[in-house]
Every structure is written in C-alpha cells, then in structure tokens.
Amino acid sequence: MSALPRPSTIFLAAITTLVAVLLYSPLFVPIVSSFFTISHGNVDWSSPTLSTYVALAGNHDILAALRTTLIVGVCTVVLSVVSGTLLALYYHGRRSGRSILQFIVFLPFLMPPIISGLALLIFFREIGLERSLLTVVIGHTVFVLAIVYRTVLMRLQSMSRTLVEASYDLGASGWQTFWRIILPNLSSAMVGGAILTFALSFDETMITILVTGTQSTLPVRLWAMMRLGFSPDINALVALILMFTVLLCVLAARFLIPRQMATERN
C-alpha cells in the first residue's frame, strides 16, 4: 500500500499549480480569441471561425515584418553558431587570453539591452555603417553569441579526451579528428544553441529598435502598433507564435540533453 503524500508535498504542489495558472492562463486568451468572438468578456462558443487567420494571411505589413524577422534570425543563427563554436574550441584548446575571451563574449549578453544597443549604435555611426538589416544581424549576433559559446563549451568539457587521443593513435590528422570525432559530438549542442539563439533573435526588441533601418522586424512592428491598437488578426499571429515557441522549446530540450543522460533517465 502506497503511503499518502505529506501535507508539505500537497502544499507545494498547490502553490506550484497556482503559480503555473497565474503565469500561463493569459496565454490562452489570444488563442481563444483567434477562434471565437469575445465581446465584453464573454466568449461566443457557438460560432468558431478562422476569419482572423484569413485576415492575417492578407496583412502584408505583418507578413513583411515576419519575413524580415525570419531573415534576421537565420543569419544570426549561422553567424553565432560558427563564431561561438570557433571561440569555444579556442577556449578549450588554449590557455592564453581565456579570461579576456570570456569577458568579451558574455559582456553584451549580461548588460541591459538598451546599453548594448546604444553602444552598437555609436559604434556603427563612428565607422560610417548605415543602419540596415546588416546592423540588426550584427547586433543580434553580438547579443546571443554567449548562448552558443557556453552551450558548445560545456559539451566540449564533458567530452572524453580519450576519443581524441584514440583518433590520433589510429593515424587520423587534426582535421579528420575534428570532422569525424569532435564535430559529431558537438552537433546536438550546436543545434540546441541555434534554436535558443533563434528564439532570442525572434523576440529581441530594444537592440533592434536602436540599430534598425527602414525595415522593421515583427517585434518592432508590434511595438509601433501599440499606439493605435491591435487588429483581431494579431490574435491569430500570437497563437501561431506561441505554438512555434513551444515547438522550439521542445526541440531545444531534445538536443541540449545529452543522449547518455536521456538513456539513463529512461
């Protein structure tokens, strides 16, 4: 016969449930609003509709901002994954300049975004680089670089050195060892870091506002729309973004947890 849960366990479970409801229940409002009509706080459950999604498909301004956001996100992921992996390999393989490297990589991520954005804005102005999607990509890459760097570095530090030593003992060159041993072991960490950086880039607003040019990303566009109010099709957009974000979180958890840990848990 199983023992009954202790009062303290029941109390903690109740508090956890309450906090989860308070945090996540507002997220269901735009989802419900995208399928049903809400008037004066009352939901008309009798008439489900996809009109908000149809209207969203015809909102060219929002779709253009979304397309710009995706372009910036993909470019940021590529640059941050390549740069972060190279920096992690340098830190793991050498001792000189490691403290300075850590400081340079983590400082933009730890500072308030408005400070990072202002610093980038002044830098771009001093070198004569006009604000455009290029400056936005650079700003996002500088901001999220620490995520990929730390993720890949942790995987490098947990990887057994005997794999590399065995590769050299079998006559493999440095490039062959990297391509066949190190890179496959880092691939899941790189993919997980890429997903996290894309999510951060997709949501970044403050740095984008300061370094963007004439093209607006989706967060900046929504920020501008707050002055006039949102149209009903924004509820459909929010619902789609929430589902996309949940998918990103699931994928990130899948790739960031080492296979050995997942096997042991199962």
Side-chain angles (χ1 to χ4, degrees):
M1 181 176 181
S2 60
L4 295 176
R6 294 179 297 178
S8 59
T9 304
I10 298 176
F11 176 75
L12 291 176
I15 293 297
T16 303
T17 303
L18 177 62
V19 171
V21 170
L22 292 177
L23 287 176
Y24 295 106
S25 57
L27 298 178
F28 291 97
V29 175
I31 297 177
V32 174
S33 301
S34 67
F35 293 103
F36 300 93
T37 302
I38 298 180
S39 178
H40 304 289
N42 297 320
V43 183
D44 185 7
W45 300 102
S46 62
S47 57
T49 178
L50 296 177
S51 59
T52 55
Y53 293 89
V54 175
L56 176 63
N59 194 328
H60 300 290
D61 293 335
I62 292 295
L63 294 180
L66 178 60
R67 183 167 54 252
T68 301
T69 302
L70 295 176
I71 293 173
V72 171
V74 171
C75 295
T76 300
V77 166
V78 173
L79 289 177
S80 61
V81 168
V82 173
S83 303
T85 302
L86 292 176
L87 291 173
L89 290 170
Y90 176 84
Y91 181 93
H92 186 68
R94 298 178 180 271
R95 296 183 179 180
S96 60
R98 299 175 73 177
S99 299
I100 298 177
L101 176 62
Q102 293 267 43
F103 177 79
I104 294 175
V105 171
F106 283 106
L107 184 61
F109 185 77
L110 297 176
M111 287 194 305
I114 189 171
I115 302 300
S116 300
L118 285 173
L120 288 168
L121 177 61
I122 296 172
F123 172 75
F124 294 144
R125 186 184 62 184
E126 291 297 324
I127 66 175
L129 183 61
E130 295 292 333
R131 290 185 296 174
S132 61
L133 287 186
L134 175 61
T135 57
V136 176
V137 171
I138 295 174
H140 284 200
T141 302
V142 170
F143 177 66
V144 304
L145 180 61
I147 298 295
V148 178
Y149 167 78
R150 187 58 183 171
T151 303
V152 175
L153 181 60
M154 291 179 63
R155 184 60 57 85
L156 273 172
Q157 293 174 342
S158 65
M159 190 174 65
S160 175
R161 292 188 60 87
T162 57
L163 295 174
V164 177
E165 294 172 355
S167 177
Y168 285 132
D169 290 339
L170 293 174
S173 63
W175 173 251
Q176 290 174 328
T177 300
F178 172 77
W179 185 255
R180 298 182 179 180
I181 303 298
I182 298 177
L183 191 60
N185 281 276
L186 297 181
S187 59
S188 60
M190 293 169 63
V191 173
I195 295 173
L196 292 177
T197 56
F198 182 83
L200 287 175
S201 174
F202 190 93
D203 185 57
E204 178 53 45
T205 304
M206 186 57 64
I207 294 178
T208 308
I209 291 176
L210 293 171
V211 301
T212 190
T214 57
Q215 294 177 285
S216 297
T217 60
L218 183 60
V220 174
R221 180 68 183 177
L222 295 178
W223 181 280
M225 291 177 62
M226 289 179 62
R227 302 176 182 177
L228 303 176
F230 296 115
S231 54
D233 54 344
I234 299 300
N235 292 322
L237 177 65
V238 172
L240 292 175
I241 291 176
L242 285 174
M243 290 187 289
F244 181 65
T245 303
V246 171
L247 177 62
L248 287 181
C249 293
V250 173
L251 290 175
R254 167 65 179 83
F255 285 102
L256 288 177
I257 298 177
R259 294 180 180 178
Q260 293 83 355
M261 294 178 60
T263 303
E264 291 175 0
R265 290 181 180 180
N266 295 332

